[in-house]
PDB file of all heavy atoms in Angstrom:
ATOM      1  N   VAL A   1     162.014 -60.297  45.269  1.00  0.00           N
ATOM      2  CA  VAL A   1     160.943 -60.805  46.098  1.00  0.00           C
ATOM      3  C   VAL A   1     160.452 -62.100  45.584  1.00  0.00           C
ATOM      4  O   VAL A   1     160.409 -62.282  44.282  1.00  0.00           O
ATOM      5  CB  VAL A   1     159.804 -59.787  46.170  1.00  0.00           C
ATOM      6  CG1 VAL A   1     158.541 -60.331  46.774  1.00  0.00           C
ATOM      7  CG2 VAL A   1     160.207 -58.567  46.998  1.00  0.00           C
ATOM      8  N   GLY A   2     160.113 -63.035  46.317  1.00  0.00           N
ATOM      9  CA  GLY A   2     159.655 -64.377  45.859  1.00  0.00           C
ATOM     10  C   GLY A   2     158.214 -64.272  45.251  1.00  0.00           C
ATOM     11  O   GLY A   2     157.298 -63.755  45.986  1.00  0.00           O
ATOM     12  N   VAL A   3     158.056 -64.668  44.011  1.00  0.00           N
ATOM     13  CA  VAL A   3     156.763 -64.528  43.282  1.00  0.00           C
ATOM     14  C   VAL A   3     156.468 -65.860  42.681  1.00  0.00           C
ATOM     15  O   VAL A   3     157.250 -66.435  41.944  1.00  0.00           O
ATOM     16  CB  VAL A   3     156.775 -63.425  42.224  1.00  0.00           C
ATOM     17  CG1 VAL A   3     155.451 -63.461  41.505  1.00  0.00           C
ATOM     18  CG2 VAL A   3     157.056 -62.063  42.904  1.00  0.00           C
ATOM     19  N   ASP A   4     155.306 -66.316  42.902  1.00  0.00           N
ATOM     20  CA  ASP A   4     154.761 -67.618  42.226  1.00  0.00           C
ATOM     21  C   ASP A   4     153.334 -67.414  41.800  1.00  0.00           C
ATOM     22  O   ASP A   4     152.485 -67.007  42.667  1.00  0.00           O
ATOM     23  CB  ASP A   4     154.971 -68.811  43.162  1.00  0.00           C
ATOM     24  CG  ASP A   4     154.505 -70.087  42.496  1.00  0.00           C
ATOM     25  OD1 ASP A   4     155.121 -70.554  41.566  1.00  0.00           O
ATOM     26  OD2 ASP A   4     153.427 -70.624  42.993  1.00  0.00           O
ATOM     27  N   LEU A   5     153.007 -67.727  40.560  1.00  0.00           N
ATOM     28  CA  LEU A   5     151.656 -67.622  40.069  1.00  0.00           C
ATOM     29  C   LEU A   5     151.276 -68.964  39.353  1.00  0.00           C
ATOM     30  O   LEU A   5     151.994 -69.429  38.504  1.00  0.00           O
ATOM     31  CB  LEU A   5     151.477 -66.494  39.044  1.00  0.00           C
ATOM     32  CG  LEU A   5     150.124 -66.191  38.556  1.00  0.00           C
ATOM     33  CD1 LEU A   5     149.874 -64.753  38.383  1.00  0.00           C
ATOM     34  CD2 LEU A   5     149.775 -66.977  37.318  1.00  0.00           C
ATOM     35  N   LYS A   6     150.148 -69.554  39.789  1.00  0.00           N
ATOM     36  CA  LYS A   6     149.710 -70.709  39.108  1.00  0.00           C
ATOM     37  C   LYS A   6     148.137 -70.669  38.913  1.00  0.00           C
ATOM     38  O   LYS A   6     147.482 -70.126  39.695  1.00  0.00           O
ATOM     39  CB  LYS A   6     150.070 -72.012  39.897  1.00  0.00           C
ATOM     40  CG  LYS A   6     149.514 -72.035  41.329  1.00  0.00           C
ATOM     41  CD  LYS A   6     150.004 -73.266  42.036  1.00  0.00           C
ATOM     42  CE  LYS A   6     149.544 -73.330  43.478  1.00  0.00           C
ATOM     43  NZ  LYS A   6     150.087 -74.511  44.189  1.00  0.00           N
ATOM     44  N   LYS A   7     147.702 -71.201  37.785  1.00  0.00           N
ATOM     45  CA  LYS A   7     146.360 -71.253  37.421  1.00  0.00           C
ATOM     46  C   LYS A   7     145.717 -72.530  38.059  1.00  0.00           C
ATOM     47  O   LYS A   7     146.410 -73.542  38.302  1.00  0.00           O
ATOM     48  CB  LYS A   7     146.126 -71.267  35.980  1.00  0.00           C
ATOM     49  CG  LYS A   7     146.507 -69.930  35.250  1.00  0.00           C
ATOM     50  CD  LYS A   7     146.166 -69.894  33.858  1.00  0.00           C
ATOM     51  CE  LYS A   7     147.180 -70.667  32.984  1.00  0.00           C
ATOM     52  NZ  LYS A   7     147.038 -70.505  31.536  1.00  0.00           N
ATOM     53  N   SER A   8     144.422 -72.453  38.397  1.00  0.00           N
ATOM     54  CA  SER A   8     143.738 -73.602  38.959  1.00  0.00           C
ATOM     55  C   SER A   8     142.292 -73.557  38.478  1.00  0.00           C
ATOM     56  O   SER A   8     141.693 -72.541  38.380  1.00  0.00           O
ATOM     57  CB  SER A   8     143.783 -73.547  40.526  1.00  0.00           C
ATOM     58  OG  SER A   8     143.013 -74.557  41.090  1.00  0.00           O
ATOM     59  N   ASN A   9     141.769 -74.759  38.306  1.00  0.00           N
ATOM     60  CA  ASN A   9     140.314 -74.878  37.909  1.00  0.00           C
ATOM     61  C   ASN A   9     139.375 -74.985  39.111  1.00  0.00           C
ATOM     62  O   ASN A   9     138.164 -74.922  38.901  1.00  0.00           O
ATOM     63  CB  ASN A   9     140.182 -76.162  37.022  1.00  0.00           C
ATOM     64  CG  ASN A   9     140.804 -75.985  35.674  1.00  0.00           C
ATOM     65  OD1 ASN A   9     140.807 -74.831  35.104  1.00  0.00           O
ATOM     66  ND2 ASN A   9     141.411 -77.009  35.201  1.00  0.00           N
ATOM     67  N   HIS A  10     139.930 -75.144  40.298  1.00  0.00           N
ATOM     68  CA  HIS A  10     139.102 -75.234  41.461  1.00  0.00           C
ATOM     69  C   HIS A  10     139.734 -74.568  42.672  1.00  0.00           C
ATOM     70  O   HIS A  10     140.688 -75.051  43.237  1.00  0.00           O
ATOM     71  CB  HIS A  10     138.805 -76.700  41.790  1.00  0.00           C
ATOM     72  CG  HIS A  10     137.857 -76.898  42.939  1.00  0.00           C
ATOM     73  ND1 HIS A  10     136.489 -76.871  42.733  1.00  0.00           N
ATOM     74  CD2 HIS A  10     138.060 -77.028  44.267  1.00  0.00           C
ATOM     75  CE1 HIS A  10     135.914 -77.062  43.954  1.00  0.00           C
ATOM     76  NE2 HIS A  10     136.766 -77.146  44.852  1.00  0.00           N
ATOM     77  N   ILE A  11     139.237 -73.359  42.921  1.00  0.00           N
ATOM     78  CA  ILE A  11     139.728 -72.545  44.036  1.00  0.00           C
ATOM     79  C   ILE A  11     138.569 -72.303  45.051  1.00  0.00           C
ATOM     80  O   ILE A  11     137.467 -71.966  44.565  1.00  0.00           O
ATOM     81  CB  ILE A  11     140.293 -71.227  43.569  1.00  0.00           C
ATOM     82  CG1 ILE A  11     141.638 -71.462  42.800  1.00  0.00           C
ATOM     83  CG2 ILE A  11     140.578 -70.288  44.762  1.00  0.00           C
ATOM     84  CD1 ILE A  11     142.209 -70.225  42.187  1.00  0.00           C
ATOM     85  N   THR A  12     138.796 -72.494  46.295  1.00  0.00           N
ATOM     86  CA  THR A  12     137.716 -72.141  47.259  1.00  0.00           C
ATOM     87  C   THR A  12     138.240 -70.935  48.065  1.00  0.00           C
ATOM     88  O   THR A  12     139.324 -70.941  48.662  1.00  0.00           O
ATOM     89  CB  THR A  12     137.532 -73.364  48.174  1.00  0.00           C
ATOM     90  OG1 THR A  12     137.127 -74.452  47.462  1.00  0.00           O
ATOM     91  CG2 THR A  12     136.520 -73.065  49.312  1.00  0.00           C
ATOM     92  N   ILE A  13     137.342 -69.960  48.142  1.00  0.00           N
ATOM     93  CA  ILE A  13     137.599 -68.745  48.909  1.00  0.00           C
ATOM     94  C   ILE A  13     136.577 -68.643  50.028  1.00  0.00           C
ATOM     95  O   ILE A  13     135.386 -68.714  49.778  1.00  0.00           O
ATOM     96  CB  ILE A  13     137.527 -67.503  47.985  1.00  0.00           C
ATOM     97  CG1 ILE A  13     138.715 -67.610  46.994  1.00  0.00           C
ATOM     98  CG2 ILE A  13     137.620 -66.241  48.808  1.00  0.00           C
ATOM     99  CD1 ILE A  13     138.831 -66.360  46.065  1.00  0.00           C
ATOM    100  N   PRO A  14     136.996 -68.504  51.237  1.00  0.00           N
ATOM    101  CA  PRO A  14     136.070 -68.528  52.459  1.00  0.00           C
ATOM    102  C   PRO A  14     135.250 -67.290  52.477  1.00  0.00           C
ATOM    103  O   PRO A  14     135.611 -66.220  51.893  1.00  0.00           O
ATOM    104  CB  PRO A  14     137.018 -68.638  53.606  1.00  0.00           C
ATOM    105  CG  PRO A  14     138.314 -68.009  53.196  1.00  0.00           C
ATOM    106  CD  PRO A  14     138.367 -68.415  51.776  1.00  0.00           C
ATOM    107  N   LYS A  15     134.225 -67.302  53.240  1.00  0.00           N
ATOM    108  CA  LYS A  15     133.411 -66.062  53.396  1.00  0.00           C
ATOM    109  C   LYS A  15     134.035 -65.125  54.356  1.00  0.00           C
ATOM    110  O   LYS A  15     134.866 -65.468  55.206  1.00  0.00           O
ATOM    111  CB  LYS A  15     132.017 -66.469  53.876  1.00  0.00           C
ATOM    112  CG  LYS A  15     131.945 -67.022  55.241  1.00  0.00           C
ATOM    113  CD  LYS A  15     130.498 -67.309  55.655  1.00  0.00           C
ATOM    114  CE  LYS A  15     130.396 -67.864  57.050  1.00  0.00           C
ATOM    115  NZ  LYS A  15     129.021 -68.177  57.438  1.00  0.00           N
ATOM    116  N   TYR A  16     133.595 -63.848  54.275  1.00  0.00           N
ATOM    117  CA  TYR A  16     134.094 -62.829  55.294  1.00  0.00           C
ATOM    118  C   TYR A  16     133.343 -63.077  56.584  1.00  0.00           C
ATOM    119  O   TYR A  16     132.173 -63.237  56.626  1.00  0.00           O
ATOM    120  CB  TYR A  16     133.787 -61.499  54.731  1.00  0.00           C
ATOM    121  CG  TYR A  16     134.096 -60.360  55.649  1.00  0.00           C
ATOM    122  CD1 TYR A  16     135.431 -60.004  55.958  1.00  0.00           C
ATOM    123  CD2 TYR A  16     133.087 -59.585  56.195  1.00  0.00           C
ATOM    124  CE1 TYR A  16     135.690 -58.986  56.765  1.00  0.00           C
ATOM    125  CE2 TYR A  16     133.402 -58.484  57.106  1.00  0.00           C
ATOM    126  CZ  TYR A  16     134.691 -58.230  57.308  1.00  0.00           C
ATOM    127  OH  TYR A  16     135.007 -57.203  58.232  1.00  0.00           O
ATOM    128  N   THR A  17     134.158 -63.231  57.673  1.00  0.00           N
ATOM    129  CA  THR A  17     133.581 -63.549  58.932  1.00  0.00           C
ATOM    130  C   THR A  17     133.394 -62.355  59.814  1.00  0.00           C
ATOM    131  O   THR A  17     132.864 -62.517  60.951  1.00  0.00           O
ATOM    132  CB  THR A  17     134.421 -64.584  59.703  1.00  0.00           C
ATOM    133  OG1 THR A  17     135.797 -64.004  59.832  1.00  0.00           O
ATOM    134  CG2 THR A  17     134.492 -65.834  58.978  1.00  0.00           C
ATOM    135  N   GLY A  18     133.714 -61.197  59.351  1.00  0.00           N
ATOM    136  CA  GLY A  18     133.527 -59.973  60.156  1.00  0.00           C
ATOM    137  C   GLY A  18     132.112 -59.395  59.961  1.00  0.00           C
ATOM    138  O   GLY A  18     131.240 -60.095  59.385  1.00  0.00           O
ATOM    139  N   VAL A  19     131.948 -58.187  60.372  1.00  0.00           N
ATOM    140  CA  VAL A  19     130.672 -57.471  60.255  1.00  0.00           C
ATOM    141  C   VAL A  19     130.812 -56.285  59.326  1.00  0.00           C
ATOM    142  O   VAL A  19     131.700 -55.430  59.468  1.00  0.00           O
ATOM    143  CB  VAL A  19     130.091 -57.019  61.611  1.00  0.00           C
ATOM    144  CG1 VAL A  19     128.767 -56.252  61.496  1.00  0.00           C
ATOM    145  CG2 VAL A  19     129.965 -58.148  62.546  1.00  0.00           C
ATOM    146  N   ILE A  20     129.966 -56.273  58.277  1.00  0.00           N
ATOM    147  CA  ILE A  20     129.995 -55.211  57.295  1.00  0.00           C
ATOM    148  C   ILE A  20     128.914 -54.167  57.648  1.00  0.00           C
ATOM    149  O   ILE A  20     127.764 -54.503  57.718  1.00  0.00           O
ATOM    150  CB  ILE A  20     129.780 -55.683  55.865  1.00  0.00           C
ATOM    151  CG1 ILE A  20     130.895 -56.667  55.448  1.00  0.00           C
ATOM    152  CG2 ILE A  20     129.743 -54.526  54.936  1.00  0.00           C
ATOM    153  CD1 ILE A  20     130.778 -57.235  54.051  1.00  0.00           C
ATOM    154  N   THR A  21     129.359 -53.022  58.014  1.00  0.00           N
ATOM    155  CA  THR A  21     128.400 -51.900  58.425  1.00  0.00           C
ATOM    156  C   THR A  21     128.567 -50.696  57.555  1.00  0.00           C
ATOM    157  O   THR A  21     129.666 -50.349  57.118  1.00  0.00           O
ATOM    158  CB  THR A  21     128.646 -51.515  59.883  1.00  0.00           C
ATOM    159  OG1 THR A  21     130.028 -51.094  60.068  1.00  0.00           O
ATOM    160  CG2 THR A  21     128.441 -52.681  60.867  1.00  0.00           C
ATOM    161  N   TYR A  22     127.457 -50.069  57.210  1.00  0.00           N
ATOM    162  CA  TYR A  22     127.513 -48.899  56.430  1.00  0.00           C
ATOM    163  C   TYR A  22     126.851 -47.750  57.213  1.00  0.00           C
ATOM    164  O   TYR A  22     125.711 -47.811  57.585  1.00  0.00           O
ATOM    165  CB  TYR A  22     126.749 -49.078  55.063  1.00  0.00           C
ATOM    166  CG  TYR A  22     127.401 -50.008  54.147  1.00  0.00           C
ATOM    167  CD1 TYR A  22     126.998 -51.405  54.093  1.00  0.00           C
ATOM    168  CD2 TYR A  22     128.329 -49.597  53.290  1.00  0.00           C
ATOM    169  CE1 TYR A  22     127.631 -52.292  53.258  1.00  0.00           C
ATOM    170  CE2 TYR A  22     129.002 -50.425  52.361  1.00  0.00           C
ATOM    171  CZ  TYR A  22     128.619 -51.833  52.376  1.00  0.00           C
ATOM    172  OH  TYR A  22     129.182 -52.657  51.547  1.00  0.00           O
ATOM    173  N   LYS A  23     127.668 -46.725  57.594  1.00  0.00           N
ATOM    174  CA  LYS A  23     127.183 -45.603  58.420  1.00  0.00           C
ATOM    175  C   LYS A  23     126.655 -44.562  57.606  1.00  0.00           C
ATOM    176  O   LYS A  23     125.738 -43.811  58.121  1.00  0.00           O
ATOM    177  CB  LYS A  23     128.371 -45.159  59.257  1.00  0.00           C
ATOM    178  CG  LYS A  23     128.986 -46.146  60.266  1.00  0.00           C
ATOM    179  CD  LYS A  23     130.087 -45.511  61.056  1.00  0.00           C
ATOM    180  CE  LYS A  23     130.693 -46.517  62.083  1.00  0.00           C
ATOM    181  NZ  LYS A  23     131.780 -45.917  62.841  1.00  0.00           N
ATOM    182  N   TYR A  24     127.086 -44.265  56.454  1.00  0.00           N
ATOM    183  CA  TYR A  24     126.758 -43.073  55.779  1.00  0.00           C
ATOM    184  C   TYR A  24     125.878 -43.285  54.493  1.00  0.00           C
ATOM    185  O   TYR A  24     125.170 -42.358  54.064  1.00  0.00           O
ATOM    186  CB  TYR A  24     128.030 -42.323  55.331  1.00  0.00           C
ATOM    187  CG  TYR A  24     128.952 -42.056  56.527  1.00  0.00           C
ATOM    188  CD1 TYR A  24     130.068 -42.882  56.667  1.00  0.00           C
ATOM    189  CD2 TYR A  24     128.633 -41.187  57.465  1.00  0.00           C
ATOM    190  CE1 TYR A  24     130.953 -42.723  57.788  1.00  0.00           C
ATOM    191  CE2 TYR A  24     129.467 -40.917  58.630  1.00  0.00           C
ATOM    192  CZ  TYR A  24     130.622 -41.723  58.728  1.00  0.00           C
ATOM    193  OH  TYR A  24     131.431 -41.585  59.793  1.00  0.00           O
ATOM    194  N   THR A  25     125.934 -44.501  53.912  1.00  0.00           N
ATOM    195  CA  THR A  25     125.096 -44.761  52.658  1.00  0.00           C
ATOM    196  C   THR A  25     123.690 -45.085  53.068  1.00  0.00           C
ATOM    197  O   THR A  25     123.494 -45.754  54.016  1.00  0.00           O
ATOM    198  CB  THR A  25     125.709 -45.905  51.881  1.00  0.00           C
ATOM    199  OG1 THR A  25     125.855 -47.090  52.747  1.00  0.00           O
ATOM    200  CG2 THR A  25     127.022 -45.546  51.322  1.00  0.00           C
ATOM    201  N   GLN A  26     122.802 -44.600  52.261  1.00  0.00           N
ATOM    202  CA  GLN A  26     121.339 -44.738  52.559  1.00  0.00           C
ATOM    203  C   GLN A  26     120.701 -45.119  51.229  1.00  0.00           C
ATOM    204  O   GLN A  26     121.133 -44.760  50.226  1.00  0.00           O
ATOM    205  CB  GLN A  26     120.723 -43.555  53.105  1.00  0.00           C
ATOM    206  CG  GLN A  26     121.263 -43.127  54.471  1.00  0.00           C
ATOM    207  CD  GLN A  26     120.634 -41.842  54.983  1.00  0.00           C
ATOM    208  OE1 GLN A  26     119.802 -41.194  54.309  1.00  0.00           O
ATOM    209  NE2 GLN A  26     120.878 -41.407  56.179  1.00  0.00           N
ATOM    210  N   ASN A  27     119.586 -45.908  51.322  1.00  0.00           N
ATOM    211  CA  ASN A  27     118.865 -46.207  50.158  1.00  0.00           C
ATOM    212  C   ASN A  27     118.115 -45.047  49.654  1.00  0.00           C
ATOM    213  O   ASN A  27     117.551 -44.177  50.393  1.00  0.00           O
ATOM    214  CB  ASN A  27     117.785 -47.319  50.529  1.00  0.00           C
ATOM    215  CG  ASN A  27     118.450 -48.679  50.864  1.00  0.00           C
ATOM    216  OD1 ASN A  27     119.537 -48.892  50.319  1.00  0.00           O
ATOM    217  ND2 ASN A  27     117.832 -49.417  51.714  1.00  0.00           N
ATOM    218  N   THR A  28     118.120 -44.847  48.309  1.00  0.00           N
ATOM    219  CA  THR A  28     117.362 -43.702  47.735  1.00  0.00           C
ATOM    220  C   THR A  28     115.887 -44.103  47.637  1.00  0.00           C
ATOM    221  O   THR A  28     115.572 -45.242  47.298  1.00  0.00           O
ATOM    222  CB  THR A  28     117.918 -43.407  46.341  1.00  0.00           C
ATOM    223  OG1 THR A  28     117.877 -44.549  45.539  1.00  0.00           O
ATOM    224  CG2 THR A  28     119.356 -42.864  46.509  1.00  0.00           C
ATOM    225  N   LYS A  29     115.001 -43.120  47.855  1.00  0.00           N
ATOM    226  CA  LYS A  29     113.608 -43.385  47.789  1.00  0.00           C
ATOM    227  C   LYS A  29     113.074 -43.164  46.370  1.00  0.00           C
ATOM    228  O   LYS A  29     113.624 -42.317  45.651  1.00  0.00           O
ATOM    229  CB  LYS A  29     112.831 -42.549  48.750  1.00  0.00           C
ATOM    230  CG  LYS A  29     113.228 -42.811  50.216  1.00  0.00           C
ATOM    231  CD  LYS A  29     112.450 -41.942  51.150  1.00  0.00           C
ATOM    232  CE  LYS A  29     112.805 -42.220  52.623  1.00  0.00           C
ATOM    233  NZ  LYS A  29     112.114 -41.382  53.584  1.00  0.00           N
TER     234      LYS A  29
END
């Protein structure tokens, strides 16, 4: 399988554009 790894001092990662929903977790009082 083709594999390439390189280090970089400046990488930009975009934000998540979907919707994050939590159905079951709740804040503890």
Side-chain angles (χ1 to χ4, degrees):
V1 169
V3 176
D4 178 67
L5 184 148
K6 59 183 178 182
K7 293 185 280 188
S8 175
N9 291 323
H10 185 82
I11 292 176
T12 300
I13 294 182
K15 67 179 181 179
Y16 176 68
T17 56
V19 178
I20 298 176
T21 56
Y22 292 96
K23 295 180 180 179
Y24 308 105
T25 53
Q26 297 179 356
N27 293 329
T28 55
K29 295 181 181 179

